[in-house]
Structures are given as structure tokens and as C-alpha cells.
Amino acid sequence: ELSTGNIAACNLLLLTATPKASANYLKDNAARISPDAMVIDFCGTKGMICALGFALAKEYGFTFVGGHPMAGLQYSGFKHARATLFKGASMIIVPPVYDDMALLERVKELLVPLDFKQLVVTSAENHDEMIAYTSQLCHVVSNAFVKSPVAQKHHGYSAGSFRDLTRVARLNE
């Protein structure tokens, strides 16, 4: 269960759960979010969460921006958190309006403590298309690779490439 804490007092709310859990949290708590707040999701897909977030933000008066940090580990949960996880990474931003420079500057300022190298602004559709290629396809290929009967015989024949590919297979699909 996700904590609701005192979200009415927050000026920044980061949704860092799965898309479904983040969407449910947002639906259940949208009425409690301050109109001054910025809500940014960190989900791996943008279509569903952005459509919902933009609609709820319009209805309740807060600001919603889709986001996806291009960083992570094959492990999940707080015990695997790292203070420098986002240092030097790209942050993909899906704003409700593409050319709102004041909004983009506010997002940039709010995310400064996370030490991203750059913000990349795009649409939900473009994000999901690119992530299907750069992440999800890699996950499918990696899983097929490590589940191959030949993969069980790799001992002594593998190094960095095998290790990198098998790391991806452990990611939460």
C-alpha cells in the first residue's frame, strides 16, 4: 500500500511505483493534492499515466508532468536505493503542453537535487515508442537468451557481454 502522508502540504509529488499502482494512487488522492503542487511520475511507460494525470490535473488544479529517469537497477525496493542513482542520467519529460518554457524551467528546478545530466522533452507516444525499442525489446531478448537451454552451459565461456545481458533479464517486466 502506498503512503498518502500529508500530500496536501507537498509542492512536489513523485510517483515512483508501477504505472498501475501510480495511476490508482493518483485517482485515489487527486482531490487532496494542492493546486500549487507539481506531480511527476517516474513510470516506464507514459501513455496511460499521462492521459490520466493530465485529466486529473485539469480537474483538480495541480500540475502533472510525465517523467521517466533513464537510470535504474535490476533490483527494486527501497533497500536498493542509491543517492547517486540519477547522477548524470537523462530525464524524459512529457509535459501537458510542449512549449511551456516556464513549466519546463520549474520542472528543471524541482529536479536539480537528483542531478540529472539533461531533460529530454517529448510526447507520451514518442516516449513509449522509443522505450519499446531501447528497453522493452532488450528485456524480451534478454529473457529469451537466458532461458535458452544453451545458456545453462555457459560456465567458463562468458564475461561482460553475458553478464550485462543477464542483468537485464532480472528487471521487473
Side-chain angles (χ1 to χ4, degrees):
E1 180 179 324
L2 300 175
S3 172
T4 57
N6 190 8
I7 63 174
C10 295
N11 68 344
L12 176 62
L13 182 62
L14 302 176
L15 303 177
T16 61
T18 64
K20 183 178 179 181
S22 293
N24 288 338
Y25 181 89
L26 197 53
K27 283 188 272 190
D28 293 345
N29 294 286
R32 299 177 52 220
I33 299 172
S34 167
D36 298 326
M38 167 85 63
V39 178
I40 305 174
D41 82 275
F42 276 33
C43 298
T45 57
K46 299 275 73 80
M48 180 270 294
I49 193 71
C50 284
L52 176 68
F54 296 150
L56 290 173
K58 186 174 180 180
E59 181 178 349
Y60 292 101
F62 59 87
T63 302
F64 179 87
V65 173
H68 185 186
M70 295 290 93
L73 303 170
Q74 66 269 33
Y75 309 108
S76 62
F78 190 74
K79 70 181 179 178
H80 298 290
R82 304 284 182 272
T84 59
L85 180 62
F86 303 126
K87 183 178 177 68
S90 293
M91 176 63 167
I92 309 300
I93 297 296
V94 178
V97 179
Y98 190 78
D99 60 352
D100 184 340
M101 299 313 287
L103 172 65
L104 295 174
E105 189 59 35
R106 182 175 171 213
V107 169
K108 185 176 179 179
E109 288 173 18
L110 287 168
L111 295 178
V112 162
L114 298 179
D115 207 15
F116 288 108
K117 177 182 178 181
Q118 65 180 346
L119 298 184
V120 177
V121 180
T122 191
S123 67
E125 296 79 17
N126 188 63
H127 169 276
D128 290 352
E129 181 179 313
M130 291 303 298
I131 293 303
Y133 177 75
T134 64
S135 181
Q136 294 164 348
L137 179 60
C138 298
H139 187 76
V140 169
V141 169
S142 177
N143 269 278
F145 181 79
V146 300
K147 291 174 182 169
S148 163
V150 177
Q152 305 308 314
K153 302 174 188 176
H154 76 86
H155 302 291
Y157 292 88
S158 60
S161 296
F162 184 84
R163 184 175 48 251
D164 291 346
L165 193 59
T166 57
R167 182 194 72 81
V168 172
R170 289 190 292 264
L171 293 170
N172 182 330
E173 68 280 358

